Amino acid sequence: MAYQTRLLGRQNKITNTSGLAPGYIQANLLVLPRQHARDFHDLCLRNPVSCPLLGMTHPGDPHSIQPSGCITTRDFDIRTDFPMYRVYRGGKSIGSRRDLLDVWSDDYVGFLIGCSFSFEAALTAAGLPPRHQKTNSMVAMYRTNLPLLPAGIFTGATCIVSMRPYRQDRIQAVRDVTRPYLATHGEPVAWGWEAVIALGIKDIQCPDFGDPPDLEDGEVPVFWACGVTPQMAVESAGDKIEDLVFAHEPGHMLVTDYTAEDLQKLGRS
Amino acid sequence: MAYQTRLLGRQNKITNTSGLAPGYIQANLLVLPRQHARDFHDLCLRNPVSCPLLGMTHPGDPHSIQPSGCITTRDFDIRTDFPMYRVYRGGKSIGSRRDLLDVWSDDYVGFLIGCSFSFEAALTAAGLPPRHQKTNSMVAMYRTNLPLLPAGIFTGATCIVSMRPYRQDRIQAVRDVTRPYLATHGEPVAWGWEAVIALGIKDIQCPDFGDPPDLEDGEVPVFWACGVTPQMAVESAGDKIEDLVFAHEPGHMLVTDYTAEDLQKLGRS
């Protein structure tokens, strides 16, 4: 099922991947010139909640990911199998692309970062379905003032969070269900209306990415770290990266061959 | 040399361990009841810059650490080999002890956390000796507003940082020297006078732990994550932990048998 979903992404036939191929781990993308790969790798190790590293390519090879369990099919291409890509130059988003075939070079390294869509099936199974799946919209994502701990050229960035509304009396259950998913952001980083202020979010109805959320009476926002955060690291690096940088379009993920059970066996879930 | 230093700690003949047994990795301590060990383990995995986990005991066994490279001598006792211990009840420090022999039970799990003293030899070798070693004082440590990402019962804590002053034009070199030491806090989390404000530090001359710092003209403060942070997590858990909790007295570390090279081989330095 994961492979079929990747093929649909390759054909640009899907957009919001939330809820697709339930049980399979979804991944965010960052593609960087080789000379900056070490700094970004360090950034992931220092910020595993925002940037949980699932795997990476060998420099220049778009067809295989290490560790190999992440993508098990020989038919794979990191340049095409995401439904949509973003392009950055000098730290600024300059547009979207359906694939990276024309702009790829042997100098690029691709990083796959765990995505919180991965634990949504577990929330649903526990009777705690994320609202945005019911409303068929994209999860709301916000810029925050939560610092991303610096590594090399990546300094001064802050974290992006995704938000799912829950009643206050469900928060402990929501934390418990998502806690084991360490490789895909794990339990929430903050919750409640006081967290909106603490994180520096100005208006919960105006997310920076995704769709405005649908909060019902008595619900409070619950915030998870978000894999769009690496794009904030790219913004912070600005002109220190001379070449083009590529990422996924927020919400448009890659479905990997990892299941939650695979990550548990690896000691990372 | 590491073993001899541990014996001196056992005999309570040393206090500030900064600069002792250069090249060997030093460790902070937290000892928790078994029922809370999983939450604290998650806390370390989510916050590896503040809480880099070097090793832990089997429940109730004070004599061996996993992974085994951390302590290679058979003659080891986590209850005695730190120079001084702190005792916590209900999230509050209630005093110091020379050893934990009378208060240990089979229900306890000990965690060793990497310490920034470990990279001070590397700074000195690079011509960037930490000031507090020259002045023979204890490194200054501060409470901050930097959130520790929550895990289980450990919610709402903030990070402690240690501070070493450097000239602005040395900061890039200081970052580069300490960056590889991922298992012992790695590169700084923030630097410069603007960081003092951003971290919520009220008075640089009034540290919360350690001695007041000695800044020379033209120097700015450089802040690293600090292994006293787990004690803030214990404060945040408060009455959720009914039993006594033990930690090291700040500045009074355990010298392990790990060298920086050992940690590099393990892929963690």
Side-chain angles (χ1 to χ4, degrees):
Chain A
M1 184 164 52
Y3 174 59
Q4 276 74 28
T5 311
R6 287 199 294 276
L7 287 183
L8 291 174
R10 185 182 299 179
Q11 296 158 7
N12 306 109
K13 287 187 176 165
I14 49 178
T15 53
N16 180 1
T17 55
S18 171
L20 297 185
Y24 287 93
I25 303 296
Q26 298 197 16
N28 304 274
L29 176 69
L30 199 68
V31 177
L32 285 167
R34 185 196 301 224
Q35 71 179 112
H36 302 301
R38 179 65 179 264
D39 281 354
F40 185 73
H41 191 262
D42 281 352
L43 190 80
C44 292
L45 295 184
R46 281 165 68 84
N47 298 278
V49 177
S50 289
C51 308
L53 187 59
L54 293 179
M56 54 191 291
T57 68
H58 289 292
D61 174 8
H63 296 296
S64 65
I65 302 289
Q66 296 298 324
S68 58
C70 188
I71 300 290
T72 58
T73 57
R74 292 179 64 177
D75 180 29
F76 170 73
D77 195 325
I78 203 170
R79 303 170 300 179
T80 58
D81 292 0
F82 280 76
M84 188 71 76
Y85 297 83
R86 270 202 173 189
V87 182
Y88 282 86
R89 183 193 294 278
K92 291 189 175 61
S93 170
I94 59 168
S96 297
R97 291 185 68 98
R98 290 161 58 106
D99 64 63
L100 303 178
L101 292 171
D102 296 344
V103 287
W104 182 265
S105 82
D106 287 351
D107 193 52
Y108 279 114
V109 179
F111 294 87
L112 297 184
I113 308 290
C115 167
S116 56
F117 290 179
S118 307
F119 56 56
E120 293 186 337
L123 283 169
T124 299
L128 300 160
R131 175 69 34 75
H132 66 99
Q133 288 196 355
K134 283 198 215 168
T135 56
N136 206 21
S137 56
M138 194 171 292
V139 70
M141 294 165 269
Y142 305 85
R143 295 174 187 265
T144 72
N145 58 20
L146 192 67
L148 195 67
L149 300 181
I153 64 166
F154 301 104
T155 63
T158 54
C159 295
I160 302 287
V161 294
S162 64
M163 192 282 280
R164 294 160 188 79
Y166 285 99
R167 292 210 319 263
Q168 187 75 42
D169 61 3
R170 297 297 188 91
I171 289 177
Q172 194 57 47
V174 164
R175 294 182 66 209
D176 291 344
V177 168
T178 54
R179 183 168 307 127
Y181 290 81
L182 286 175
T184 58
H185 306 305
E187 68 170 276
V189 294
W191 50 88
W193 291 109
E194 64 279 15
V196 177
I197 297 163
L199 292 171
I201 295 170
K202 290 190 187 70
D203 185 345
I204 202 76
Q205 286 304 325
C206 295
D208 294 288
F209 307 96
D211 293 321
D214 177 30
L215 282 97
E216 297 179 355
D217 274 356
E219 289 184 333
V220 299
V222 182
F223 298 102
W224 278 264
C226 175
V228 178
T229 304
Q231 300 187 34
M232 300 304 105
V234 170
E235 284 189 6
S236 75
D239 291 336
K240 292 175 198 151
I241 306 177
E242 293 183 2
D243 309 85
L244 293 178
V245 170
F246 311 108
H248 68 292
E249 185 72 21
H252 298 61
M253 304 297 164
L254 182 80
V255 177
T256 75
D257 291 320
Y258 274 142
T259 63
E261 292 70 35
D262 290 334
L263 290 182
Q264 269 171 340
K265 280 180 210 154
L266 289 168
R268 300 181 58 197
S269 174
Chain B
M1 184 162 54
Y3 174 59
Q4 277 74 29
T5 310
R6 288 199 293 275
L7 288 183
L8 291 174
R10 185 181 299 179
Q11 296 157 7
N12 305 109
K13 287 185 176 167
I14 49 177
T15 53
N16 181 0
T17 56
S18 171
L20 297 185
Y24 287 94
I25 303 296
Q26 298 198 16
N28 304 275
L29 176 69
L30 199 67
V31 177
L32 286 167
R34 184 196 303 221
Q35 71 179 114
H36 302 301
R38 178 65 179 264
D39 281 353
F40 185 72
H41 190 261
D42 281 353
L43 190 80
C44 292
L45 295 184
R46 281 165 68 85
N47 297 278
V49 177
S50 289
C51 308
L53 187 59
L54 293 179
M56 54 190 290
T57 68
H58 287 293
D61 174 8
H63 297 296
S64 64
I65 302 288
Q66 295 300 324
S68 57
C70 188
I71 300 290
T72 59
T73 57
R74 292 180 63 177
D75 180 28
F76 171 73
D77 195 325
I78 202 169
R79 304 170 301 180
T80 58
D81 292 0
F82 280 76
M84 188 71 76
Y85 298 82
R86 269 201 173 190
V87 182
Y88 282 85
R89 184 193 293 279
K92 291 190 175 61
S93 170
I94 59 168
S96 296
R97 293 185 68 99
R98 291 159 59 103
D99 65 62
L100 303 178
L101 293 171
D102 295 344
V103 288
W104 182 265
S105 81
D106 286 352
D107 192 52
Y108 279 113
V109 178
F111 294 87
L112 297 183
I113 308 291
C115 167
S116 55
F117 289 178
S118 307
F119 56 57
E120 293 187 337
L123 283 168
T124 300
L128 300 160
R131 176 70 34 75
H132 65 100
Q133 287 195 357
K134 284 197 213 168
T135 56
N136 206 22
S137 55
M138 194 172 291
V139 70
M141 294 165 269
Y142 306 85
R143 295 173 188 264
T144 72
N145 58 19
L146 192 66
L148 195 67
L149 299 181
I153 63 166
F154 301 103
T155 64
T158 54
C159 295
I160 303 286
V161 294
S162 64
M163 193 283 280
R164 294 160 187 79
Y166 286 98
R167 290 209 322 262
Q168 188 77 41
D169 61 3
R170 298 297 188 89
I171 289 177
Q172 194 57 48
V174 164
R175 293 182 66 208
D176 290 344
V177 168
T178 54
R179 183 168 308 127
Y181 290 81
L182 286 176
T184 58
H185 306 304
E187 68 171 276
V189 293
W191 50 88
W193 291 110
E194 65 279 15
V196 177
I197 297 162
L199 292 171
I201 295 170
K202 291 191 186 68
D203 184 347
I204 201 77
Q205 286 304 325
C206 295
D208 294 288
F209 307 95
D211 294 321
D214 177 29
L215 283 97
E216 297 179 355
D217 274 356
E219 290 184 334
V220 300
V222 182
F223 298 102
W224 279 264
C226 175
V228 179
T229 303
Q231 299 187 34
M232 299 304 105
V234 170
E235 284 188 6
S236 76
D239 291 335
K240 291 176 199 152
I241 306 176
E242 293 184 3
D243 309 85
L244 293 178
V245 170
F246 311 108
H248 69 291
E249 185 73 21
H252 298 62
M253 304 298 165
L254 182 80
V255 177
T256 75
D257 292 319
Y258 274 140
T259 63
E261 292 71 35
D262 290 332
L263 290 183
Q264 269 170 341
K265 281 180 210 154
L266 289 169
R268 300 181 55 197
S269 174

